[in-house]
Amino acid sequence: VQLQASGGGLVQAGGFLRLSCAASGVVFKLDDMGWYRQGPGKERELVASITTGGVTDYAGSVKGRFTISRDNAKRTVFLQMNNLKPEDRAVYYCNAETYPDPWQRRDVWGQGTLVTVSS
């Protein structure tokens, strides 16, 4: 399976963006999905995650501003980012826990999409 992310761009502080990440290819099961980000000089960090049942989790720095959702039928995960701040600037990566077959799990990463927030 492959993940294709889109929706990044340049936005002013206080603005919003919506990221999308679609899974393609054959897989036995698509499990938890999430968004990570890596800012300049920083390590990659979890931004938000969502289970197949819709249970979500967020990093403290984005709670109340970002919303993760998914469309299981379309195998797509979204990240609605509101009230963006300059410190949100990063490359955002989508991630999915996949099962190519019932016995093995494989983490898959998208290619990354750049979000730039001007002050």
Side-chain angles (χ1 to χ4, degrees), residues 4 8-9 13 32 34 37 53 59 65 72 77 80 88 92 95 98 116:
Q4 181 67 43
D32 294 358
R37 67 185 181 186
R65 301 188 296 123
N72 289 328
V77 63
Q80 178 68 41
D88 294 318
Y92 284 70
N95 170 271
T98 71
T116 303

Side-chain angles (χ1 to χ4, degrees), residues 23-101:
S24 61
V26 177
V27 67
F28 174 76
K29 181 181 179 183
L30 189 62
D31 213 336
D32 294 358
M33 301 183 77
W35 289 94
Y36 290 71
R37 67 185 181 186
Q38 187 165 17
K42 298 181 180 180
E43 294 186 352
R44 190 174 297 188
E45 63 175 354
L46 175 66
V47 176
S49 64
I50 185 167
T51 68
T52 53
V55 177
T56 59
D57 189 29
Y58 296 93
S61 59
V62 307
K63 276 184 180 178
R65 301 188 296 123
F66 292 10
T67 302
I68 189 170
S69 60
R70 66 190 287 171
D71 184 330
N72 289 328
K74 296 182 178 179
R75 303 197 301 175
T76 301
V77 63
F78 306 95
L79 186 68
Q80 178 68 41
M81 305 185 293
N82 297 329
N83 190 22
L84 282 159
K85 303 177 179 181
E87 52 264 40
D88 294 318
R89 177 196 175 199
V91 177
Y92 284 70
Y93 299 90
C94 58
N95 170 271
E97 296 177 0
T98 71
Y99 288 83
D101 56 55

